[in-house]
Amino acid sequence: GTRLWRSISPGRNGLPAFAFLHPQGQNHTSGTAYAEYMRYLKHPVVDIDLPGHGRSMRYQSGPYSMPRFAGTIDEVLNEAGVGQVILMGASFGGMIALQYAVDYPDKIKALILASTADADPAKLNTSLPLNEMVNVLLDRASKTVSRQICVDYNKMRDEEKKGHSNANFNLS
């Protein structure tokens, strides 16, 4: 297989691991601030340079696709002994993170997407089932979180009906 650079920082037992998937043309250091914060909170952290980035080798053959990238990430997380992951992806890394959540939903503790899209660039006319995936993740969320989202969504709708289209609401 492809040799990937990764670094594993242990954390407190029982906490989910954190992994940041970086944008195209960058490496794991673009997520250093997030990784350091998660280390501070005692989460295990898996730093990864995606294939063909930083110190990682590129794929030697075969297609470059989101499912292949997601499978590679799963191999790295399995080798690191990660059960569930808080997975953050930015831009291209977010596309891979989204594919990972679709392919391995039981392994996602939380999914954070920044400046990304749900299209697979290898298949320009298709996209991932974002609505379906969000519904699966919401089904797995605790009742408290689900209730809070519903309450905040209803507050937003009420504010919009009152003519306040830029209503502020909090999902935390």
PDB file of all heavy atoms in Angstrom, residues 113-131:
ATOM      1  N   LEU A 113     -16.887  19.942   9.240  1.00  0.00           N
ATOM      2  CA  LEU A 113     -16.523  20.261   7.860  1.00  0.00           C
ATOM      3  C   LEU A 113     -16.314  21.761   7.732  1.00  0.00           C
ATOM      4  O   LEU A 113     -17.139  22.543   8.194  1.00  0.00           O
ATOM      5  CB  LEU A 113     -17.620  19.809   6.894  1.00  0.00           C
ATOM      6  CG  LEU A 113     -17.987  18.332   6.952  1.00  0.00           C
ATOM      7  CD1 LEU A 113     -19.196  18.049   6.072  1.00  0.00           C
ATOM      8  CD2 LEU A 113     -16.807  17.467   6.544  1.00  0.00           C
ATOM      9  N   ALA A 114     -15.214  22.161   7.110  1.00  0.00           N
ATOM     10  CA  ALA A 114     -14.907  23.578   6.931  1.00  0.00           C
ATOM     11  C   ALA A 114     -14.587  23.849   5.465  1.00  0.00           C
ATOM     12  O   ALA A 114     -13.717  23.197   4.889  1.00  0.00           O
ATOM     13  CB  ALA A 114     -13.726  23.974   7.810  1.00  0.00           C
ATOM     14  N   SER A 115     -15.320  24.782   4.882  1.00  0.00           N
ATOM     15  CA  SER A 115     -15.052  25.226   3.505  1.00  0.00           C
ATOM     16  C   SER A 115     -14.929  24.054   2.544  1.00  0.00           C
ATOM     17  O   SER A 115     -13.942  23.904   1.836  1.00  0.00           O
ATOM     18  CB  SER A 115     -13.787  26.076   3.457  1.00  0.00           C
ATOM     19  OG  SER A 115     -13.913  27.199   4.277  1.00  0.00           O
ATOM     20  N   THR A 116     -15.939  23.209   2.516  1.00  0.00           N
ATOM     21  CA  THR A 116     -15.873  22.019   1.678  1.00  0.00           C
ATOM     22  C   THR A 116     -17.133  21.899   0.823  1.00  0.00           C
ATOM     23  O   THR A 116     -18.025  22.727   0.891  1.00  0.00           O
ATOM     24  CB  THR A 116     -15.658  20.761   2.550  1.00  0.00           C
ATOM     25  OG1 THR A 116     -15.263  19.685   1.705  1.00  0.00           O
ATOM     26  CG2 THR A 116     -16.899  20.382   3.328  1.00  0.00           C
ATOM     27  N   ALA A 117     -17.176  20.876   0.008  1.00  0.00           N
ATOM     28  CA  ALA A 117     -18.331  20.588  -0.848  1.00  0.00           C
ATOM     29  C   ALA A 117     -18.652  19.109  -0.712  1.00  0.00           C
ATOM     30  O   ALA A 117     -17.852  18.345  -0.194  1.00  0.00           O
ATOM     31  CB  ALA A 117     -18.004  20.929  -2.306  1.00  0.00           C
ATOM     32  N   ASP A 118     -19.818  18.719  -1.208  1.00  0.00           N
ATOM     33  CA  ASP A 118     -20.173  17.300  -1.130  1.00  0.00           C
ATOM     34  C   ASP A 118     -19.984  16.587  -2.458  1.00  0.00           C
ATOM     35  O   ASP A 118     -20.415  15.474  -2.630  1.00  0.00           O
ATOM     36  CB  ASP A 118     -21.601  17.107  -0.607  1.00  0.00           C
ATOM     37  CG  ASP A 118     -22.667  17.606  -1.571  1.00  0.00           C
ATOM     38  OD1 ASP A 118     -22.350  18.411  -2.459  1.00  0.00           O
ATOM     39  OD2 ASP A 118     -23.817  17.182  -1.425  1.00  0.00           O
ATOM     40  N   ALA A 119     -19.305  17.197  -3.421  1.00  0.00           N
ATOM     41  CA  ALA A 119     -19.077  16.570  -4.723  1.00  0.00           C
ATOM     42  C   ALA A 119     -17.749  15.828  -4.725  1.00  0.00           C
ATOM     43  O   ALA A 119     -16.783  16.271  -4.133  1.00  0.00           O
ATOM     44  CB  ALA A 119     -19.078  17.623  -5.824  1.00  0.00           C
ATOM     45  N   ASP A 120     -17.728  14.707  -5.411  1.00  0.00           N
ATOM     46  CA  ASP A 120     -16.491  13.979  -5.633  1.00  0.00           C
ATOM     47  C   ASP A 120     -15.904  14.495  -6.934  1.00  0.00           C
ATOM     48  O   ASP A 120     -16.507  14.343  -7.986  1.00  0.00           O
ATOM     49  CB  ASP A 120     -16.788  12.480  -5.729  1.00  0.00           C
ATOM     50  CG  ASP A 120     -15.538  11.627  -5.884  1.00  0.00           C
ATOM     51  OD1 ASP A 120     -14.491  12.159  -6.330  1.00  0.00           O
ATOM     52  OD2 ASP A 120     -15.611  10.433  -5.567  1.00  0.00           O
ATOM     53  N   PRO A 121     -14.719  15.140  -6.903  1.00  0.00           N
ATOM     54  CA  PRO A 121     -14.175  15.708  -8.130  1.00  0.00           C
ATOM     55  C   PRO A 121     -13.903  14.670  -9.209  1.00  0.00           C
ATOM     56  O   PRO A 121     -13.853  15.001 -10.385  1.00  0.00           O
ATOM     57  CB  PRO A 121     -12.874  16.387  -7.678  1.00  0.00           C
ATOM     58  CG  PRO A 121     -12.561  15.811  -6.360  1.00  0.00           C
ATOM     59  CD  PRO A 121     -13.846  15.336  -5.758  1.00  0.00           C
ATOM     60  N   ALA A 122     -13.760  13.398  -8.822  1.00  0.00           N
ATOM     61  CA  ALA A 122     -13.551  12.350  -9.815  1.00  0.00           C
ATOM     62  C   ALA A 122     -14.842  12.020 -10.557  1.00  0.00           C
ATOM     63  O   ALA A 122     -14.822  11.414 -11.613  1.00  0.00           O
ATOM     64  CB  ALA A 122     -12.996  11.098  -9.149  1.00  0.00           C
ATOM     65  N   LYS A 123     -15.982  12.429  -9.995  1.00  0.00           N
ATOM     66  CA  LYS A 123     -17.292  12.164 -10.600  1.00  0.00           C
ATOM     67  C   LYS A 123     -18.052  13.479 -10.599  1.00  0.00           C
ATOM     68  O   LYS A 123     -18.882  13.726  -9.739  1.00  0.00           O
ATOM     69  CB  LYS A 123     -18.047  11.105  -9.793  1.00  0.00           C
ATOM     70  CG  LYS A 123     -17.331   9.789  -9.703  1.00  0.00           C
ATOM     71  CD  LYS A 123     -18.105   8.848  -8.789  1.00  0.00           C
ATOM     72  CE  LYS A 123     -17.347   7.559  -8.607  1.00  0.00           C
ATOM     73  NZ  LYS A 123     -17.963   6.705  -7.612  1.00  0.00           N
ATOM     74  N   LEU A 124     -17.774  14.318 -11.560  1.00  0.00           N
ATOM     75  CA  LEU A 124     -18.264  15.696 -11.541  1.00  0.00           C
ATOM     76  C   LEU A 124     -19.781  15.820 -11.494  1.00  0.00           C
ATOM     77  O   LEU A 124     -20.301  16.816 -11.022  1.00  0.00           O
ATOM     78  CB  LEU A 124     -17.709  16.451 -12.747  1.00  0.00           C
ATOM     79  CG  LEU A 124     -16.195  16.634 -12.726  1.00  0.00           C
ATOM     80  CD1 LEU A 124     -15.735  17.334 -13.996  1.00  0.00           C
ATOM     81  CD2 LEU A 124     -15.760  17.418 -11.505  1.00  0.00           C
ATOM     82  N   ASN A 125     -20.498  14.831 -11.965  1.00  0.00           N
ATOM     83  CA  ASN A 125     -21.958  14.943 -12.001  1.00  0.00           C
ATOM     84  C   ASN A 125     -22.648  14.205 -10.865  1.00  0.00           C
ATOM     85  O   ASN A 125     -23.842  13.992 -10.893  1.00  0.00           O
ATOM     86  CB  ASN A 125     -22.494  14.430 -13.343  1.00  0.00           C
ATOM     87  CG  ASN A 125     -22.047  15.304 -14.486  1.00  0.00           C
ATOM     88  OD1 ASN A 125     -21.999  16.523 -14.348  1.00  0.00           O
ATOM     89  ND2 ASN A 125     -21.690  14.704 -15.604  1.00  0.00           N
ATOM     90  N   THR A 126     -21.896  13.813  -9.855  1.00  0.00           N
ATOM     91  CA  THR A 126     -22.509  13.125  -8.722  1.00  0.00           C
ATOM     92  C   THR A 126     -22.094  13.807  -7.432  1.00  0.00           C
ATOM     93  O   THR A 126     -21.136  14.560  -7.389  1.00  0.00           O
ATOM     94  CB  THR A 126     -22.079  11.647  -8.654  1.00  0.00           C
ATOM     95  OG1 THR A 126     -20.679  11.596  -8.410  1.00  0.00           O
ATOM     96  CG2 THR A 126     -22.429  10.894  -9.916  1.00  0.00           C
ATOM     97  N   SER A 127     -22.828  13.542  -6.405  1.00  0.00           N
ATOM     98  CA  SER A 127     -22.454  14.058  -5.090  1.00  0.00           C
ATOM     99  C   SER A 127     -22.809  13.019  -4.042  1.00  0.00           C
ATOM    100  O   SER A 127     -23.541  12.075  -4.305  1.00  0.00           O
ATOM    101  CB  SER A 127     -23.167  15.382  -4.802  1.00  0.00           C
ATOM    102  OG  SER A 127     -24.555  15.186  -4.746  1.00  0.00           O
ATOM    103  N   LEU A 128     -22.266  13.204  -2.868  1.00  0.00           N
ATOM    104  CA  LEU A 128     -22.551  12.293  -1.774  1.00  0.00           C
ATOM    105  C   LEU A 128     -23.956  12.567  -1.239  1.00  0.00           C
ATOM    106  O   LEU A 128     -24.458  13.682  -1.350  1.00  0.00           O
ATOM    107  CB  LEU A 128     -21.529  12.500  -0.661  1.00  0.00           C
ATOM    108  CG  LEU A 128     -20.082  12.245  -1.066  1.00  0.00           C
ATOM    109  CD1 LEU A 128     -19.149  12.637   0.065  1.00  0.00           C
ATOM    110  CD2 LEU A 128     -19.869  10.796  -1.431  1.00  0.00           C
ATOM    111  N   PRO A 129     -24.590  11.583  -0.647  1.00  0.00           N
ATOM    112  CA  PRO A 129     -25.955  11.767  -0.119  1.00  0.00           C
ATOM    113  C   PRO A 129     -25.938  12.575   1.178  1.00  0.00           C
ATOM    114  O   PRO A 129     -26.165  12.044   2.253  1.00  0.00           O
ATOM    115  CB  PRO A 129     -26.430  10.332   0.087  1.00  0.00           C
ATOM    116  CG  PRO A 129     -25.169   9.566   0.355  1.00  0.00           C
ATOM    117  CD  PRO A 129     -24.104  10.225  -0.479  1.00  0.00           C
ATOM    118  N   LEU A 130     -25.686  13.883   1.050  1.00  0.00           N
ATOM    119  CA  LEU A 130     -25.502  14.728   2.230  1.00  0.00           C
ATOM    120  C   LEU A 130     -26.741  14.721   3.130  1.00  0.00           C
ATOM    121  O   LEU A 130     -26.627  14.555   4.338  1.00  0.00           O
ATOM    122  CB  LEU A 130     -25.156  16.154   1.798  1.00  0.00           C
ATOM    123  CG  LEU A 130     -24.838  17.143   2.908  1.00  0.00           C
ATOM    124  CD1 LEU A 130     -23.687  16.650   3.763  1.00  0.00           C
ATOM    125  CD2 LEU A 130     -24.508  18.505   2.326  1.00  0.00           C
ATOM    126  N   ASN A 131     -27.927  14.893   2.549  1.00  0.00           N
ATOM    127  CA  ASN A 131     -29.139  14.902   3.378  1.00  0.00           C
ATOM    128  C   ASN A 131     -29.313  13.591   4.127  1.00  0.00           C
ATOM    129  O   ASN A 131     -29.631  13.581   5.317  1.00  0.00           O
ATOM    130  CB  ASN A 131     -30.381  15.176   2.528  1.00  0.00           C
ATOM    131  CG  ASN A 131     -30.432  16.595   2.038  1.00  0.00           C
ATOM    132  OD1 ASN A 131     -29.778  17.464   2.591  1.00  0.00           O
ATOM    133  ND2 ASN A 131     -31.191  16.832   0.989  1.00  0.00           N
TER     134      ASN A 131
END
